[in-house]
Amino acid sequence: MPPITKLLVANRGEIARRVFRTCRELGIATVAVFSDADADAWHTADADEAVRLPGAAPSETYLDVEAVVAAARRAGADAVHPGYGFLSENAGFARACEAAGLTWIGPPPSAIESMGSKLAAKAMMADAGVPILRGGDATGLDADRLSRLGAEIGYPLLVKASAGGGGRGMRIVDGPGRLTDAVASAGREAAAAFGDGTVFLERYVTRPRHVEVQVMADVHGTVVSLFERECSVQRRHQKVVEEAPSPAVSGTLRARMGEAAVRAAAAVGYVGAGTVEFVLDEDGTFAFLEMNTRLQVEHPVTELITGLDLVRLQILVAQGAPLPPEACSPSIDGHAVEVRLYAEDPTQDYLPQTGRLVTFEVPRAGGIRVDTGVRSGSEVTHHYDPMLAKVVAWAPTRDEALGKLAAALAASKVHGVVTNRDLLVRTLRHPEFIDGGTDTGFLERHDPGELGASLLNDPELAWHVVAATLALVARRRSDARTQPTIPAGWRNNPSQRQRTVWATAAGVELDVRYDLDEGLVAVAVDAVELEPTRVVVMTPTLVVLEAGGLRRPYDVVLDGEVAHVDSSVGGISLTEVPRFVDPSAVVAPGSLTAPMPSSVVRVDGEVGAAVRSGQPLVVLEAMKMEHTVFAPADGVLRSLAVKPGDQVGSGDVLAVVELEQEAADQSATNH
């Protein structure tokens, strides 16, 4: 097989850039594909060449087999790497690449097909002697047959998409009353994300660990295990923290799981990098969940403990080379931990966030690795997954790796969108996680709202608000055309304190009253008087305060009316509240608004009909996830502004619910 000289990555974001990095080391030219939404994305600029895929939605760009293959031909590429997600586990795409004379960096299409259907994969694994969980196909079943299948499996159970992964098309069902709705919702989500709405039911292990084994195979029949990864800390069944090796896996269990994973790969004639996922019960038994026939998001932790470049191995194997000796006799060195930094708000049920990244800076020294497709100035859109970066730490021991990673995240500056950064830091520092006693219910037992609540309930919040206020004063002084040394709001006679009001991302308003006099600030936040404070430095980007003998610097980024403040104890973003409200920004009472740019999937309810508290009214889809907007209280649906297929922006009014008491008051007034 001729050597690869130019490789197209049929993907976007951080995984595209990750593959480009190895290609550069191997002397292989790189080609990116990009949608209209990604025209200015980092991966587009990072490749040697880039080909546009017209459109923005995944279905018309990164999921369009013909368009991606045509892009490879146009660029003169001789190989295609699919990354993960999108077309990475699409056997038809693999065949189309091979038919076009392109080297496919992945397993044979037959292996993808075998594992592409989780239902078929479970049957094949049972035949190969790999333990499985009981379950059954739920697609197309009427209510009675669905109820019988659920009863046979037992509750709680999982509804899972047969074609997908990443938590999409997955629902936990505690009892028969919610099974029908869960199957329908999971099917819709799976169809939107993967183009296949097939779903099945599976026994749900109540306190499982999610442990997976990395396998690598070549065309000469060699299949090896590159050890396990622990992926138990998840939200919405999608991994958030991953580490290798697992703190729960002994040497004996590691050998047993590795042997089972090798059997699974051999059973389907696997070639390339793949991952066999298991559920590990508290008693040490494990069962097959699925096999991902691609490179995993969390592959860096395996690379860091083994010293192997998995993308390099993929490329070598795809060219027909045998696995090199270092891959055939791997060993574990130290410990690695990875977190997924998402643009989402954990305090609002992990609501995805969109917007411009004003600042994106993550410390990378001392064993910290950052795989990302964004940088300062990047736009986070609603079209794709909200993951911003994978931040990974390696150290000789697990405790050192956890401490190193938590410190790097805490020192990061990520401004412009709300992220799960604080949740990640608190998880890494949580006693239960440090003790290694985690399972997939960790973020259900520990309130994500508290883990991810930034500084809102922290006494240090007041000082960050003061720093934001002083930075704003400094900017106004520097912008003043005349006499910039005179304090803002200066008067030639004694007067009341100056006032600034800030709002947090959660809408909490903070009232700041202050006096500046010869390097000292007297200040009260929400009528709470703070101790006398010396202002050591006061610029639009840096404020240093000294109180009670303690001096602390605050880094500030002012972006219009927004102040992003970071210190050694954390960071927060604050928006200055205008003194006078723009009338055009006021919406009618009872308005339900879109929390993010999204598509309307379904509308429930009719104008004039009574609605009950918690009743679903509008289902939105953004970042390949469904989000339901519920009635906030009992009342009447007075207006409905959207229909299925509509595109809405953040803050757009979807519907108006007149609350029950308001309706009664209005009726009394009319009579």
Side-chain angles (χ1 to χ4, degrees):
M1 183 177 294
I4 294 170
T5 59
K6 182 184 286 190
L7 184 148
L8 179 142
V9 178
N11 218 295
R12 63 179 300 278
E14 67 86 15
I15 186 57
R17 296 193 63 243
R18 163 69 190 92
V19 176
F20 295 159
R21 185 167 70 245
T22 291
C23 287
R24 282 193 287 268
E25 293 173 357
L26 295 176
I28 297 173
T30 57
V31 182
V33 287
F34 64 95
S35 68
D36 291 342
D38 279 339
D40 297 320
W42 199 358
H43 82 273
T44 305
D46 200 27
D48 296 321
E49 300 170 355
V51 181
R52 175 182 174 235
L53 302 177
S59 59
E60 59 189 6
T61 54
Y62 300 107
L63 288 172
D64 187 328
V65 171
E66 291 184 4
V68 175
V69 172
R73 285 173 166 165
R74 180 178 177 182
D78 47 25
V80 171
H81 192 299
Y84 56 72
F86 293 128
L87 294 170
S88 62
E89 294 178 284
N90 185 311
F93 178 53
R95 288 197 174 95
C97 288
E98 292 178 345
L102 301 165
T103 298
W104 169 250
I105 312 296
S110 58
I112 298 175
E113 283 179 331
S114 297
M115 295 293 105
S117 165
K118 293 182 176 62
L119 279 167
K122 284 164 67 74
M124 186 175 293
M125 292 303 100
D127 291 342
V130 179
I132 64 169
L133 296 170
R134 64 178 179 270
D137 190 353
T139 307
L141 298 184
D142 59 31
D144 288 341
R145 290 189 295 167
L146 192 59
S147 178
R148 288 197 297 271
L149 178 59
E152 291 172 7
I153 296 170
Y155 294 92
L157 57 78
L158 272 178
V159 181
K160 297 179 70 174
S162 181
R168 298 181 182 87
M170 187 181 292
R171 303 287 188 275
I172 298 175
V173 182
D174 295 323
R178 308 183 75 175
L179 182 58
T180 301
D181 287 345
V183 168
S185 176
R188 285 195 307 272
E189 192 170 273
F194 314 114
D196 183 348
T198 303
V199 295
F200 65 99
L201 310 185
E202 184 177 78
R203 181 175 75 86
Y204 179 64
V205 181
T206 54
R207 293 202 63 170
R209 283 180 177 269
H210 187 127
V211 179
E212 62 191 28
V213 176
Q214 176 72 58
V215 295
M216 185 66 71
D218 63 24
V219 295
H220 305 284
T222 301
V223 185
V224 297
S225 163
L226 299 181
F227 313 116
E228 82 284 350
R229 296 184 287 255
E230 171 86 46
C231 308
S232 295
V233 178
Q234 304 178 5
R235 61 99 171 97
R236 290 176 172 169
H237 313 291
Q238 190 165 42
K239 302 159 190 173
V240 177
V241 182
E242 301 107 344
E243 58 182 310
S246 166
V249 174
S250 65
T252 301
L253 181 57
R254 177 172 297 120
R256 288 172 50 216
M257 296 183 82
E259 290 168 3
V262 168
R263 284 201 305 274
V268 296
Y270 202 79
V271 175
T275 301
V276 183
E277 303 196 354
F278 297 102
V279 57
L280 177 62
D281 214 335
E282 292 179 284
D283 61 4
T285 60
F286 62 92
F288 173 82
L289 278 178
E290 62 188 31
M291 183 174 184
N292 291 299
T293 54
R294 55 173 168 79
L295 197 65
Q296 290 281 82
V297 177
E298 57 273 20
H299 76 273
V301 293
T302 297
E303 293 185 325
L304 290 177
I305 66 164
T306 62
L308 299 170
D309 181 335
L310 297 188
V311 175
R312 172 179 173 268
L313 295 180
Q314 284 185 297
I315 293 173
L316 292 178
V317 165
Q319 295 180 104
L323 285 172
E326 63 270 21
C328 295
S329 302
S331 60
I332 296 175
D333 178 23
H335 200 94
V337 187
E338 171 183 298
V339 294
R340 303 189 191 189
L341 185 63
Y342 285 106
E344 65 183 16
D345 188 350
T347 69
Q348 300 294 319
D349 195 27
Y350 302 104
L351 185 68
Q353 305 290 300
T354 59
R356 184 175 67 92
L357 278 170
V358 178
T359 313
F360 188 82
E361 297 175 3
V362 182
R364 305 185 184 216
I368 297 295
R369 167 174 164 175
V370 181
D371 286 11
T372 184
V374 300
R375 51 188 169 180
S376 297
S378 291
E379 286 288 335
V380 181
T381 75
H382 71 282
H383 296 291
Y384 312 115
D385 186 272
M387 189 174 75
L388 301 177
K390 304 179 313 197
V391 186
V392 200
W394 178 92
T397 68
R398 183 174 186 266
D399 286 347
E400 290 177 271
L402 295 181
K404 183 181 294 186
L405 184 54
L409 287 168
S412 298
K413 297 177 183 177
V414 185
H415 305 145
V417 297
V418 176
T419 74
N420 66 335
R421 188 269 299 269
D422 295 302
L423 176 141
L424 297 173
V425 172
R426 290 188 176 95
T427 297
L428 293 170
R429 291 173 173 170
H430 197 283
E432 182 181 339
F433 183 79
I434 291 173
D435 289 344
T438 57
D439 55 63
T440 57
F442 179 84
L443 290 179
E444 295 173 6
R445 289 193 303 278
H446 304 289
D447 183 6
E450 293 181 5
L451 287 173
S454 186
L455 292 167
L456 279 181
N457 300 316
D458 193 304
E460 293 294 335
L461 170 64
W463 295 109
H464 287 70
V465 176
V466 172
T469 304
L470 296 179
L472 186 61
V473 171
R475 182 175 71 178
R476 287 170 178 165
R477 287 184 181 180
S478 65
D479 290 345
R481 294 185 179 181
T482 60
Q483 297 184 344
T485 59
I486 295 178
W490 180 85
R491 293 174 175 84
N492 63 1
N493 60 311
S495 181
Q496 62 188 12
R497 287 181 170 184
Q498 298 300 299
R499 181 184 184 218
T500 301
V501 179
W502 298 97
T504 68
V508 178
E509 291 195 358
L510 301 159
D511 189 308
V512 185
R513 309 287 179 117
Y514 62 95
D515 273 331
L516 272 170
D517 184 21
E518 296 183 356
L520 295 175
V521 61
V523 62
V525 178
D526 279 353
V528 177
E529 195 75 27
L530 303 183
E531 61 184 304
T533 302
R534 188 164 75 90
V535 183
V536 181
V537 177
M538 190 177 102
T539 73
T541 58
L542 176 66
V543 173
V544 180
L545 301 176
E546 185 176 297
L550 177 65
R551 180 178 293 189
R552 177 173 288 154
Y554 297 85
D555 293 311
V556 185
V557 173
L558 295 174
D559 181 37
E561 71 279 7
V562 180
H564 307 284
V565 188
D566 292 282
S567 76
S568 60
V569 298
I572 193 166
S573 295
L574 303 161
T575 302
E576 185 183 11
V577 177
R579 294 185 181 185
F580 304 102
V581 178
D582 181 355
S584 66
V586 178
V587 298
S591 295
L592 306 181
T593 58
M596 75 202 94
S598 47
S599 304
V600 179
V601 175
R602 195 174 78 252
V603 174
D604 295 324
E606 297 181 0
V607 174
V611 297
R612 311 304 296 175
S613 177
Q615 177 180 330
L617 295 179
V618 181
V619 179
L620 305 173
E621 189 274 326
M623 296 179 172
K624 299 187 281 186
M625 299 289 285
E626 284 192 0
H627 175 78
T628 303
V629 177
F630 301 94
D634 295 350
V636 177
L637 184 60
R638 288 303 182 198
S639 71
L640 200 54
V642 295
K643 62 182 183 301
D646 284 354
Q647 301 293 314
V648 294
S650 180
D652 287 355
V653 175
L654 307 173
V656 177
V657 174
E658 184 178 39
L659 304 186
E660 203 168 67
Q661 186 59 49
E662 293 173 351
D665 292 345
Q666 183 64 38
S667 177
T669 300
N670 292 339
H671 288 82

